[in-house]
């Protein structure tokens, strides 16, 4: 399915909300499944990636009732089976395109008394899994991969507690180890080199698990009491809000409000980077929901200046670099991201593929092994571009199309629904000139 985007002639205006946070939605199912009792999860994200997790847990014997409030928000009632109540799945579990589903599930399944297989799309089968299989094996897990990649075959094992220093600041790796730590024979500690998202820690704590953070070290004690069920409303995903935010920042005279956006400080790197570029962002209505902060964000168009982003800001906005690059095309000068080699092992190589597609629109981008430099301001022109089946690339290219001098056709854009069902409708609510095209 193609998305046709025309140059935006009028400002983007209005108030919208975005679907629930993807990271929290995956974790809510996984942890609710391990609780004793019924969990209620509202505003759960029904996206391609998270539905893979939902179906995997049904296959593991967890009853999940779904109330489809809208195509963007489901309410779930999950009958937790307790830490030791999952059932052997009848077939390989299909994680589709979702790295979070595969890596976190591997942590949980490593400590079960039954064997299982984790598989996924051809794209997911290309992504590195040694980052979880190596440390889990140190804990005593028995996992077979194919040259460090999925499918992963996991055999029953008794897990040992370990202290593990991660080389990359990955929340998926950290979470896989903490989840395996629920089944270990003592406290498991993980050291992260940067502030990777901490939703797993927050949720486990809310369920009564003893988990402590000291500097970069996080330690989990295997629980001696059942996990309490969850009762939470998932805040909107700041990684989805990123697209209307940047659209409003680059389309002249726009003003957009996005309500109920998750505002966890391990996720706000893009806001810092945009503010450093001179973007006008107001944060209001701050409140706490289910251990996570949510806010309304108001963004107004303003002239953008170039900036450099590195270190912790990269970790705190790792999924937002495709859309940040689009903002950078509109800033007068060189904007650079470094310390971001992780971008090369996302759904696609988000340095090489992004640079290739933005160049088709007339952007000037240099690639570095650990990042890229965008030379703006670019006069973008009409072109046909391709998402390479990467949801964040599809939506970034669509937003770029709003500031090109002619129509942009984004091929294979349906994958936007892997994380943001209703992306096009939401953008249309703001007056964006984009529509599906057969
Ligand atoms: C995620 C962690 C990040 C992020 C991904 C979601 C998570 O991946 O890119 O979209 O929910 O834990 P890494 O752990 O590989 O950095």
């Amino acid at each position: 399915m193609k998305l046709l985007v025309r140059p935006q002639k009028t400002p983007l205006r209005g108030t919208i909300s975005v679907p629930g946070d993807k990271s929290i939605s995956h974790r809510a199912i996984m942890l609710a499944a391990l609780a004793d009792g019924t969990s209620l999860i509202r505003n759960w994200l029904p996206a391609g990636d998270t539905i893979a997790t939902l179906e995997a847990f049904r296959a593991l014997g967890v009853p999940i009732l779904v109330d489809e409030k809208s195509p963007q928000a489901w309410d779930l009632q999950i009958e937790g089976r307790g830490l030791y109540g999952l059932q052997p799945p009848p077939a390989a579990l299909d994680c589709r395109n979702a790295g979070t589903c595969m890596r976190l599930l591997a942590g949980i399944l490593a400590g079960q008394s039954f064997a299982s297989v984790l598989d996924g799309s051809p794209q997911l089968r290309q992504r590195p899994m040694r980052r979880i299989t190596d440390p889990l094996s140190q804990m005593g897990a028995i996992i077979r991969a194919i040259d460090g990649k999925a499918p992963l075959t996991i055999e029953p094992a008794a897990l040992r507690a370990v202290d593990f220093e991660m080389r990359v600041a990955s929340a998926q790796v950290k979470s896989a180890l903490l989840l395996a730590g629920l089944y270990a024979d003592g406290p498991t500690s993980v050291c992260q080199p940067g502030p990777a998202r901490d939703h797993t820690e927050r949720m486990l704590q809310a369920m009564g698990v003893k988990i402590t953070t000291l500097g970069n070290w996080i330690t989990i004690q295997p629980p001696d009491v059942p996990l309490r069920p969850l009762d939470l409303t998932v805040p909107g995903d700041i990684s989805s809000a990123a697209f209307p935010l940047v659209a409003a920042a680059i389309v002249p005279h726009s003003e957009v409000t996005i309500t109920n956006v998750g505002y966890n400080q391990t996720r706000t790197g893009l806001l810092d980077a945009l503010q450093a570029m001179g973007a006008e962002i107001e944060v209001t209505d701050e409140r706490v929901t289910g251990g996570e902060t949510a806010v309304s964000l108001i963004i107004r168009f303003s002239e953008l200046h170039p900036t450099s982003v590195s270190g912790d800001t990269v970790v705190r906005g790792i999924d937002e670099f495709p859309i940040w690059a689009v903002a950078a095309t509109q800033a007068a000068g060189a904007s650079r991201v470094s310390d971001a080699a992780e971008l090369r092992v996302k759904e696609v190589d988000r340095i090489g593929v992004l640079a290739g597609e933005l160049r088709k629109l007339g952007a000037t981008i240099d690639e570095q092994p650990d990042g890229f430099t965008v030379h703006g301001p670019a006069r973008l022109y009409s072109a046909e571009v391709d998402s390479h089946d990467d949801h964040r690339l599809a939506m970034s290219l669509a937003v770029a199309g709003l500031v090109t001098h002619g129509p942009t056709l984004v091929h294979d854009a349906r994958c936007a629904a892997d994380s943001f069902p209703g992306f096009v409708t939401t953008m249309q609510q703001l007056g964006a000139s984009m529509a599906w095209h057969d």
Side-chain angles (χ1 to χ4, degrees):
M1 193 94 165
K2 293 170 231 158
L3 183 58
L4 178 63
V5 187
R6 296 186 185 282
Q8 186 68 29
K9 300 274 195 260
T10 53
L12 299 173
R13 287 194 180 254
T15 299
I16 52 167
S17 58
V18 291
D21 188 276
K22 181 155 77 74
S23 294
I24 297 177
S25 294
H26 279 296
R27 287 160 173 79
I29 296 218
M30 294 180 181
L31 291 180
L34 303 181
D36 267 32
T38 305
S39 290
L40 296 176
I41 315 293
R42 289 169 290 273
N43 197 40
W44 185 82
L45 169 72
D49 279 15
T50 46
I51 288 172
T53 294
L54 187 150
E55 285 173 358
F57 275 86
R58 279 187 170 151
L60 289 162
V62 180
I64 305 179
L65 275 180
V66 173
D67 180 358
E68 298 189 18
K69 293 282 183 199
S70 80
Q72 284 90 43
W74 293 358
D75 286 354
L76 307 183
Q77 190 176 311
I78 302 170
E79 302 300 330
R81 285 289 177 232
L83 276 173
Y84 298 94
L86 298 178
Q87 299 297 314
L93 299 167
D94 181 4
C95 302
R96 301 193 192 177
N97 264 355
T100 306
C101 176
M102 180 168 284
R103 294 190 177 124
L104 272 60
L105 245 178
I108 293 173
L109 294 175
Q112 303 299 325
S113 58
F114 54 81
S116 52
V117 177
L118 289 171
D119 205 353
S121 65
Q123 201 187 52
L124 186 56
R125 280 181 167 202
Q126 291 308 310
R127 296 183 66 185
M129 292 298 152
R130 283 204 177 99
R131 52 181 57 199
I132 53 154
T133 55
D134 283 354
L136 287 173
S137 302
Q138 280 181 35
M139 293 179 79
I142 305 166
I143 307 183
R144 279 195 313 280
I146 298 175
D147 201 17
K149 309 223 163 104
L152 305 179
T153 304
I154 305 176
E155 302 292 347
L159 300 186
R160 295 184 289 275
V162 294
D163 291 349
F164 186 78
E165 287 194 49
M166 289 160 48
R167 277 199 303 270
V168 288
S170 158
Q172 293 178 354
V173 176
K174 172 175 64 171
S175 301
L177 297 177
L178 293 176
L179 293 171
L182 290 170
Y183 298 93
D185 61 0
T188 296
S189 297
V190 186
C191 181
Q192 53 177 359
R197 63 195 67 191
D198 63 359
H199 307 298
T200 306
E201 295 92 300
R202 284 168 188 265
M203 215 177 269
L204 282 169
Q205 199 155 35
M207 301 175 85
V209 176
K210 288 196 188 108
I211 185 158
T212 48
T213 301
L214 193 65
N216 289 339
W217 282 93
I218 301 138
T219 301
I220 182 167
Q221 308 278 347
D224 43 19
V225 290
L227 271 58
R228 283 198 294 270
L230 291 165
D231 182 349
L232 67 86
T233 303
V234 181
D237 197 329
I238 194 164
S239 296
S240 297
F243 302 101
L245 272 177
V246 168
I250 62 176
V251 171
H253 311 300
S254 296
E255 177 170 333
V256 165
T257 300
I258 312 176
T259 58
N260 187 37
V261 183
Y263 193 65
N264 177 316
Q265 290 303 305
T266 61
R267 298 286 300 280
T268 49
L270 176 74
L271 300 184
D272 293 353
L274 287 176
Q275 278 167 331
M277 297 170 87
E280 252 189 69
I281 304 175
E282 210 179 301
V283 180
T284 61
D285 294 339
E286 187 162 331
R287 79 209 133 77
V288 174
T289 153
E292 297 276 353
T293 304
V295 297
S296 291
L297 297 174
I298 305 168
I299 182 153
R300 300 180 186 90
F301 166 78
S302 57
E303 198 182 312
L304 295 182
H305 317 295
T307 192
S308 290
V309 187
S310 59
D312 285 0
T313 313
V314 171
V315 177
R316 294 169 47 245
I318 192 67
D319 290 337
E320 280 61 84
F321 286 96
I323 190 63
W324 176 81
V326 173
T329 65
Q330 304 304 299
S335 293
R336 169 154 195 199
V337 55
S338 47
D339 301 330
E342 275 295 293
L343 293 177
R344 294 206 181 267
V345 290
K346 294 294 175 189
E347 278 78 340
V348 297
D349 169 359
R350 281 191 182 151
I351 297 175
V353 174
L354 170 77
E357 294 305 313
L358 284 179
R359 279 184 201 125
K360 289 184 190 164
L361 291 169
T364 308
I365 304 197
D366 303 328
E367 277 186 53
Q368 289 91 40
D370 72 337
F372 55 85
T373 306
V374 179
H375 301 273
R379 193 180 149 79
L380 300 181
Y381 43 73
S382 181
E384 295 197 18
V385 286
D386 198 301
S387 75
H388 297 251
D389 202 22
D390 180 331
H391 50 127
R392 301 205 199 277
L393 276 189
M395 293 185 274
S396 301
L397 293 166
V399 170
L402 296 173
V403 292
T404 58
H405 293 265
T408 302
L409 199 57
V410 185
H411 287 264
D412 200 9
R414 209 18 129 202
C415 58
D418 280 355
S419 62
F420 192 163
F423 165 70
V424 173
T425 319
T426 304
M427 293 301 293
Q428 286 167 341
Q429 278 169 25
L430 298 174
S433 46
M434 59 176 71
W436 293 111
H437 185 80
D438 299 321

